[in-house]
Amino acid sequence: MGFLGSVLRFLWGQCCKPTTTNDNESLGPHGVSATTVGISALAHDLLNFETTSQVPQALSKHVVSSKRAQSNWYKKLLEAWRNAKPPPKTPEEASRLIIATLKRHQKADVEGLLAFYGLPLPHTLVEQTVGVPTHRPEGLKFELQTLPVDGRAVADGDTITVYVNTTDPRESASIPNEVQIAAVHRSEARSCRDYTRADELHQQIINAGYRFISIENEEILARKYRIRLRGIDAPESAMPYGKEAKDELLKLVQGKCVDIFVFDQDRYGRLVGDIYCNGKFVQETMLKKGMAWHYKAYDRRPELDKWERDARAKRVGLWASSNPEMPWEWRKNKREQRR
């Protein structure tokens, strides 16, 4: 089978394997659910091609070239995958590998192959141009390094709740006495198996803006922060593209530790900041994918304006609509209706 086969088997085992379903509408073109198309299906077919030299039967419905040409693509993709260091781990990385490997082939074939696997098309891929600042930005108040973000804490496309370990020097010096005392008493209650009392004390801790979070079987006392992404305004949940914007932010931060550069606090008590995840500027991705507006009323950075204009020109995300309603106008109309 060789090294590549072992790698592909491992990836296939780690990804969500295709599952059958009675809901035909949830099936992608590859015959698996929308949550499993993509890199896992590609890995499966590359493994199958290495052992049988057969390409997927249904692929011909999505491309214009012959089976012989398709076999040539898969040979090239196998070689590209073997040479990739590290190999693709996300749909975006897999899409880039296909595009680079088949760049001399017909556009219809490349896009058809990507569509077959539910992978991002070329015009939707985002090139990151901004990384974590190497110097202190003007107006920065402080920086937070968070614990892994819980997906349930993503409220919409521009607001998330994060937790910071209280062992952080900035946090350890400011834990309220009542939280410290409740934490000690909770530990005592748990050691006595008085879980009712322990839960009551934990609720007191939560009410004070803290909570215990279990990470790798260790309980960590963490402080809660609500974060408003600086410089963008995403569609509200009830608006068109509200769900898509939330899902995109969720995909960017869920389960990951993020760096937050805090510049301000809004009237709702949320910290206003720039968020960086795995070295990528989250607001850049949201704007380039057409999942948010540049919030010019509160932010004048020219790069954010350019990213919005580029997304408009490509008609990606919410810009697929010719005249999408702006969220600040939507909120204003809702307020006036309640009067």
Side-chain angles (χ1 to χ4, degrees), residues 25-46:
E25 292 184 354
S26 68
L27 294 179
H30 193 264
V32 292
S33 69
T35 58
T36 60
V37 295
I39 190 168
S40 60
L42 174 61
H44 172 267
D45 288 344
L46 285 174

Side-chain angles (χ1 to χ4, degrees), residues 79-306:
E79 183 66 23
W81 199 296
R82 181 181 291 112
N83 294 331
K85 295 181 174 39
K89 295 180 180 178
T90 67
E92 288 78 11
E93 291 174 357
S95 185
R96 293 181 197 282
L97 181 140
I98 290 174
I99 293 168
T101 304
L102 305 182
K103 61 184 178 181
R104 298 183 183 277
H105 294 265
Q106 296 184 62
K107 179 181 178 182
D109 282 330
V110 175
E111 294 191 351
L113 183 63
L114 292 172
F116 178 65
Y117 289 109
L119 295 171
L121 296 176
H123 74 279
T124 67
L125 291 172
V126 168
E127 296 291 342
Q128 290 286 148
T129 59
V130 174
V132 180
T134 56
H135 62 281
R136 184 180 179 88
E138 183 179 353
L140 177 67
K141 291 186 175 179
F142 57 90
E143 183 180 353
L144 299 173
Q145 285 86 36
T146 77
L147 294 169
V149 176
D150 187 333
R152 294 169 296 181
V154 177
D156 52 36
D158 55 39
T159 304
I160 66 172
T161 297
V162 299
Y163 287 88
V164 177
N165 195 331
T166 54
T167 60
D168 183 287
R170 183 179 178 278
E171 299 296 338
S172 60
S174 60
I175 304 173
N177 286 335
E178 61 269 25
V179 171
Q180 297 184 50
I181 293 170
V184 171
H185 289 168
R186 176 179 179 270
S187 178
E188 294 171 348
R190 285 171 63 85
S191 66
C192 296
R193 297 187 178 182
D194 186 353
Y195 297 117
T196 300
R197 177 59 176 159
D199 289 344
E200 291 174 352
L201 289 163
H202 193 204
Q203 189 58 54
Q204 293 178 25
I205 293 170
I206 291 172
N207 293 342
Y210 292 77
R211 76 178 306 135
F212 279 97
I213 296 175
S214 180
I215 297 179
E216 295 181 353
N217 297 320
E218 178 185 0
E219 279 209 322
I220 295 173
L221 179 62
R223 183 176 178 181
K224 175 183 177 180
Y225 288 98
R226 290 184 69 223
I227 308 296
R228 177 67 163 79
L229 276 66
R230 176 180 177 233
I232 69 170
D233 199 3
E236 299 292 333
S237 298
M239 296 178 64
Y241 274 89
K243 181 182 184 301
E244 289 83 350
K246 176 182 176 178
D247 289 347
E248 182 61 36
L249 182 57
L250 183 67
K251 183 171 69 173
L252 290 169
V253 303
Q254 184 176 18
K256 302 181 180 73
C257 299
V258 301
D259 292 318
I260 304 174
F261 286 68
V262 178
F263 292 85
D264 204 355
Q265 186 172 29
D266 69 12
R267 57 181 175 173
Y268 303 106
R270 299 174 299 188
L271 299 181
V272 180
D274 289 341
I275 299 183
Y276 299 87
C277 185
N278 292 338
K280 297 179 179 179
F281 184 29
V282 170
Q283 281 98 311
E284 178 179 1
T285 299
M286 294 296 290
L287 286 168
K288 285 185 170 181
K289 289 200 170 185
M291 294 299 165
W293 279 257
H294 175 206
Y295 210 176
K296 298 181 182 68
Y298 296 95
D299 189 293
R300 306 301 294 180
R301 285 177 285 179
E303 62 269 30
L304 272 67
D305 186 53
K306 180 182 185 302

